[in-house]
Amino acid sequence: MKSSVAIACLLLAASTLHAGRARQEYVDGCQTQDGRFVVTAELVGANPKDPKAGQWKFHWKDTKTGQSRTGDLVGLPPVGPFVHLFIAPDGETFAAWRPFSYSPSTTNVDDKLSNGGKFGDGPNKDWADHPAVAHRLVIYRKTGDIVKSLGVKDLLNADELKQVYNVFHTVRFVSEYPGLAFSGAPRVAYGTFRISPDYTVLEFQAPMTSKDKPARRVRVDLVSGTIFDPVAKLAETRQPIRPFLGPDRITQDEQYLWQPNLDPVRMAGTLKKK
């Protein structure tokens, strides 16, 4: 699997920090349950002297026919992405989910926010259109054409938008599920979503708007981009579950050695040898 592992050290200085911890950037690929269709990603054109250089590319492949395609992952910054790709059973579409992302300090978003500040407190009413909060869930055809791109403003309601905040140049707009904190989970985003076994339904929890109310669940069809009722009855293969097999927590050193499986809900990742 091609990934950001090879360039992790190159971009470490710009890595997103959480409570003093630097987490490795990544774009994790996916394969269908039968293993026929695979989508992975790599950063092309990275430059240690220019952290903003480079473009994330996807690689789609049909392992049965040998057909393959490559294209750009739209809106994905070269620095600091924590992204999960999910491919549909027929291989015709795939989705890129980005619940966290590095936001360079030169952006208007950071200019009006200190660490821990909320977007709703800022003076710019158009913040929800800023690139730092756009393209958080993008659905592609295997050709690279975009089926649908959803930003934070498309996924949250007005009250939830006021709770979006920025920590260490990282825009956060989701609530974590119990037991899977970003500081200890094998992947920083594992605690922020659930995924169906067939990789066609994504679920996440919106920011809490009241201490007396649980976070609202949001479910999105990863083929069409449609947001639908989170309590709607679904087939077992489309019922969102824990997004990976493996331990809830690993050490910081182990996090840099973690190699996720391309079918993470069925096969656990492994620790690479040093």
Side-chain angles (χ1 to χ4, degrees):
M1 169 186 171
K2 294 182 179 180
S3 70
S4 61
V5 174
I7 58 149
C9 293
L10 179 153
L11 297 177
L12 182 59
S15 293
T16 300
L17 299 177
H18 296 289
R21 297 167 62 90
R23 293 301 303 263
Q24 176 184 322
E25 299 96 340
Y26 63 84
V27 180
D28 283 352
C30 185
Q31 69 181 31
T32 53
Q33 183 177 359
D34 61 6
R36 175 174 176 176
F37 300 104
V38 180
V39 62
T40 58
E42 68 171 332
L43 181 61
V44 177
N47 186 336
K49 295 183 179 180
D50 182 8
K52 295 182 181 180
Q55 171 65 49
W56 281 97
K57 302 279 187 178
F58 74 83
H59 301 292
W60 176 96
K61 186 174 183 178
D62 180 341
T63 62
K64 183 177 181 179
T65 66
Q67 182 185 18
S68 63
R69 297 177 183 273
T70 295
D72 293 341
L73 289 172
V74 175
L76 204 59
V79 176
F82 303 105
V83 178
H84 294 263
L85 302 180
F86 304 113
I87 191 165
D90 63 1
E92 291 298 309
T93 59
F94 66 93
W97 166 236
R98 181 162 58 118
F100 298 119
S101 185
Y102 181 76
S103 172
S105 59
T106 56
T107 66
N108 291 333
V109 169
D110 277 350
D111 287 345
K112 66 185 180 64
L113 287 176
S114 60
N115 286 333
K118 296 178 180 178
F119 282 103
D121 298 331
N124 184 358
K125 295 181 180 180
D126 297 325
W127 69 266
D129 292 314
H130 193 282
V133 289
H135 306 301
R136 289 317 180 99
L137 178 61
V138 183
I139 299 171
Y140 301 86
R141 293 185 176 88
K142 66 182 181 182
T143 58
D145 296 323
I146 294 177
V147 175
K148 198 164 190 178
S149 179
L150 300 171
V152 172
K153 70 174 184 178
D154 303 307
L155 298 167
L156 305 183
N157 64 35
D159 289 335
E160 292 161 351
L161 286 173
K162 295 178 182 178
Q163 304 304 317
V164 176
Y165 64 102
N166 190 43
V167 176
F168 293 108
H169 307 312
T170 302
V171 179
R172 301 194 63 183
F173 71 99
V174 291
S175 295
E176 291 177 332
Y177 287 82
L180 287 171
F182 57 70
S183 60
R187 286 304 204 207
V188 68
Y190 274 160
T192 68
F193 69 93
R194 296 289 184 263
I195 191 70
S196 62
D198 68 355
Y199 301 116
T200 64
V201 178
L202 174 80
E203 176 188 294
F204 70 91
Q205 295 186 133
M208 294 182 64
T209 58
S210 171
K211 294 181 180 180
D212 301 323
K213 296 181 180 179
R216 182 176 69 94
R217 287 186 300 158
V218 180
R219 284 186 177 175
V220 187
D221 183 294
L222 294 183
V223 176
S224 66
T226 302
I227 299 172
F228 62 95
D229 186 351
V231 299
K233 187 175 181 180
L234 300 174
E236 185 175 356
T237 58
R238 283 174 54 80
Q239 182 67 38
I241 60 174
R242 189 174 184 269
F244 73 108
L245 291 181
D248 290 349
R249 298 185 65 85
I250 58 178
T251 68
Q252 186 175 16
D253 288 341
E254 289 173 334
Q255 289 164 3
Y256 281 89
L257 299 174
W258 182 261
Q259 184 67 47
N261 195 283
L262 289 171
D263 189 5
V265 300
R266 274 169 285 269
M267 290 183 280
T270 58
L271 294 176
K272 296 185 299 181
K273 294 182 180 180
K274 294 182 179 180

